Amino acid sequence: MSMAQTTSYERTPDGAESGPQAIDLRATFERLRAATRTLAAPSYEERMDGLGRLADSVLRRQDEMVLAARSDFGNRSEYETKIAEVLMVLDGIKYMRKHLKSWMRPESRHVSMTYKPARASVHYQPLGVVGVISPWNYPFQLALAPAAAAIAAGNRVLVKPSEYTPASSETLKSILADAFDRDVASVVLGGPEVGEAFSRLPFDHLLYTGSTEVGRLVMKAAAENLVPVTLELGGKSPTILHPEYPIEKAAERIAWGKCVNAGQTCIAPDYVLVQESDVSQLTQALDATIRRYYPTLAQNPDYTAVVNPRHYERLGRLIGDAVAKGAHKIEINPAHEVLPKEGRKIAPTLLTGVNDDMRVMQEEIFGPVLPIVPYRTLDDAIAYVNARARPLALYYFDDDAKRARHVLERTVSGGACVNETLLHFGIEDMPFGGVGPSGMGAYHGKKGFLTFSHEKSVLYQAKWNATGLLAPPYGERIKKLLGFLLR
């Protein structure tokens, strides 16, 4: 999503945008905000009902979701859509419904001797209207998962999906319309101008998933209204392979994590750090694994295409720049097919001999291209990771628990897997989010409920209390009391 203004939008005196789409956007937002001001916060029963209806809507429309994603991508694996979009959304909703009652319950908090016999507790209240700006790479899951968490917390939700996946956005709109009234959840469609206007609305919380570059602009726009933000960004997620771990076994998980959705995943392995003596063996293992996973590419329904010409050409430029600067390219095309440009399928590509001057080592790849970086010692690999921006995910392959703990303690990343890739994202009982340039804040499970809730601290004073002892006029009485309390 570009945040650049266009000539079709002009500033109004209050800083809002003008134009037909902006007027409709503002009206939709005001309708949701009015509901938060005039209607009582949704009860437990209402939230459970809403989440149940959302799950039913997703189940009913799963085939439409598959077809819409396939239309938007040119080819999108049916099973990747059902696993990553349908199953993960339903698992998340199931987890919320199971635990929502306990999450909503006020929590008692400790009261020190100074304030007794008063009681204290924290109450969880809806924030109000939550905005969700979702990306194109997982157009359903990355919109519906945060929307469901916001609904569980009792909020109203307004979603702005990506203009890059129009069919999926229309289906998403239908899913939410089937599940909720217009004053509970709505979807607004449009291009970058609508996205910019959306980020400037006075939400009670705004969640954005996308690039770090645009995340900065979203945060800047939200700051105009002091809107708190959760930023789910990306970056270059490293994989470290210890020489004692079986290379063929690691190659299976790395290749899977890299090739799902053709690498268009924010937590996909971005590059692999492997001991320099094992580079050749790893490339051979990855080549053999990918050939087994995808014996053909062009007409293979399991191998997803790049979403649009812009990203297809960007990936081509990354590969070309690396090769021009001395990298060795290993293109894995088992059937030696011609992959037409209009099909937007890029063969899985390994790059060796890379260096920091290459764009592929500077930018998030977001495609089926995997640089392989040699290291001498494990501490060298750790230092390599730590010299770069903190990533959204880190993957480490090693059966030695002590070394794994050493790597996890010495590196900082949004999340991590040991001997696996990607799957930590699906564990609903763990928060998901980035750190530093890879993001801010988190959601999933209880963390999502907390992210979209206001934690109100409440003190209940006892009928008989000693508050009067702290009131003026001060004198000998307060001296003795403080002498007791400050011992």
Side-chain angles (χ1 to χ4, degrees):
M1 178 180 89
S2 170
M3 296 293 294
Q5 290 185 27
T6 68
T7 54
S8 63
Y9 273 73
E10 297 177 352
R11 294 286 180 192
T12 57
D14 65 354
E17 305 286 352
S18 63
Q21 287 181 311
I23 292 171
D24 181 63
L25 169 62
R26 190 78 196 202
T28 303
F29 171 77
E30 293 295 350
R31 183 179 68 247
L32 292 166
R33 184 159 68 170
T36 70
R37 302 295 194 268
T38 60
L39 301 175
S43 66
Y44 166 74
E45 290 75 17
E46 289 171 325
R47 300 183 202 189
M48 287 289 285
D49 179 65
L51 291 171
R53 284 186 281 111
L54 178 57
D56 290 343
S57 183
V58 170
L59 271 173
R60 283 195 306 271
R61 293 181 175 270
Q62 60 180 299
D63 291 335
E64 293 177 46
M65 294 164 69
V66 168
L67 293 174
R70 183 177 298 159
S71 171
D72 286 329
F73 280 80
N75 181 68
R76 214 311 179 81
S77 167
E78 171 186 355
Y79 301 104
E80 289 179 0
T81 297
K82 287 189 174 181
I83 293 169
E85 311 261 26
V86 179
L87 179 61
M88 291 192 69
V89 167
L90 294 178
D91 272 357
I93 293 174
K94 182 179 179 181
Y95 186 85
M96 291 178 211
R97 285 171 57 85
K98 180 178 180 180
H99 296 280
L100 182 58
K101 181 173 286 187
S102 65
W103 295 346
M104 290 178 64
R105 190 176 298 126
E107 294 182 357
S108 296
R109 296 299 169 91
H110 172 73
V111 177
S112 71
M113 181 63 69
T114 304
Y115 305 102
K116 285 183 176 180
R119 295 180 295 109
S121 62
V122 173
H123 296 241
Y124 297 97
Q125 291 186 303
L127 292 172
V129 183
V130 171
V132 176
I133 302 176
S134 58
W136 53 264
N137 59 322
Y138 292 95
F140 299 107
Q141 191 252 114
L142 294 178
L144 291 173
I151 293 293
N155 299 282
R156 317 280 164 165
V157 183
L158 186 57
V159 179
K160 163 62 177 77
S162 174
E163 63 272 22
Y164 287 166
T165 48
S168 297
S169 296
E170 289 286 358
T171 304
L172 175 69
K173 188 172 184 177
S174 297
I175 290 170
L176 286 173
D178 282 352
F180 301 107
D181 293 336
R182 291 169 66 245
D183 65 353
V184 175
S186 290
V187 174
V188 292
L189 306 179
E193 305 88 4
V194 174
E196 180 177 1
F198 189 99
S199 65
R200 295 184 185 280
L201 290 172
F203 289 106
D204 296 290
H205 197 100
L206 178 61
L207 182 142
Y208 165 80
T209 303
S211 71
T212 301
E213 177 185 3
V214 177
R216 291 189 180 98
L217 299 175
V218 169
M219 187 174 182
K220 183 178 180 181
E224 294 180 7
N225 292 302
L226 297 179
V227 174
V229 296
T230 297
L231 301 177
E232 299 298 343
L233 308 177
K236 300 185 73 61
S237 296
T239 297
I240 303 174
L241 176 56
H242 192 273
E244 292 183 14
Y245 191 84
I247 287 181
E248 290 75 14
K249 188 176 177 182
E252 292 181 350
R253 308 317 301 152
I254 296 169
W256 174 78
K258 188 61 176 179
C259 293
V260 165
N261 207 34
Q264 297 166 112
T265 303
C266 59
I267 53 172
D270 194 273
Y271 62 93
V272 180
L273 287 157
V274 60
Q275 194 170 67
E276 52 192 7
S277 60
D278 292 333
V279 168
S280 177
Q281 187 179 351
L282 176 62
T283 59
Q284 292 173 22
L286 286 168
D287 184 289
T289 300
I290 292 171
R291 288 174 183 274
R292 188 171 76 252
Y293 287 170
Y294 306 103
T296 62
L297 300 175
Q299 301 301 320
N300 188 339
D302 289 339
Y303 190 67
T304 296
V306 175
V307 69
N308 59 32
R310 173 188 169 190
H311 284 281
Y312 177 86
E313 291 166 5
R314 178 187 63 83
L315 289 166
R317 288 193 297 270
L318 286 181
I319 296 170
D321 174 77
V323 171
K325 292 175 180 176
H328 176 59
K329 178 178 73 171
I330 303 170
E331 189 175 273
I332 305 171
N333 185 349
H336 306 288
E337 299 165 282
V338 175
L339 301 178
K341 183 177 180 180
E342 57 271 19
R344 299 195 307 276
K345 284 192 173 182
I346 293 179
T349 301
L350 310 178
L351 294 173
T352 60
V354 295
N355 61 60
D356 288 348
D357 291 333
M358 299 171 183
R359 288 178 52 204
V360 76
M361 296 308 297
Q362 299 168 0
E363 304 172 16
E364 183 179 7
I365 295 172
F366 226 68
V369 181
L370 185 65
I372 296 174
V373 180
Y375 70 82
R376 291 185 179 179
T377 69
L378 183 58
D379 282 341
D380 289 340
I382 292 170
Y384 187 93
V385 171
N386 287 339
R388 286 151 180 80
R390 288 173 171 174
L392 186 55
L394 179 142
Y395 305 115
Y396 181 62
F397 287 84
D398 189 354
D399 284 329
D400 186 288
K402 184 177 180 180
R403 284 195 301 256
R405 187 166 59 250
H406 175 72
V407 171
L408 295 174
E409 290 175 350
R410 291 281 307 281
T411 57
V412 178
S413 59
C417 289
V418 177
N419 301 336
E420 187 54 273
T421 63
L422 306 191
L423 292 188
H424 66 294
F425 181 88
I427 308 301
E428 281 295 320
D429 201 29
M430 297 197 301
F432 174 79
V435 57
S438 63
M440 175 185 301
Y443 68 112
H444 284 199
K446 186 174 183 179
K447 183 62 177 179
F449 175 85
L450 294 175
T451 291
F452 299 121
S453 295
H454 169 56
E455 300 177 58
K456 179 188 283 187
S457 298
V458 180
L459 180 138
Y460 296 90
Q461 186 57 276
K463 184 175 182 179
W464 306 105
N465 61 79
T467 302
L469 297 177
L470 302 176
Y474 302 120
E476 193 62 30
R477 167 179 47 81
I478 199 70
K479 285 183 180 180
K480 290 181 178 179
L481 178 60
L482 288 175
F484 172 75
L485 295 174
L486 297 176
R487 290 183 302 176

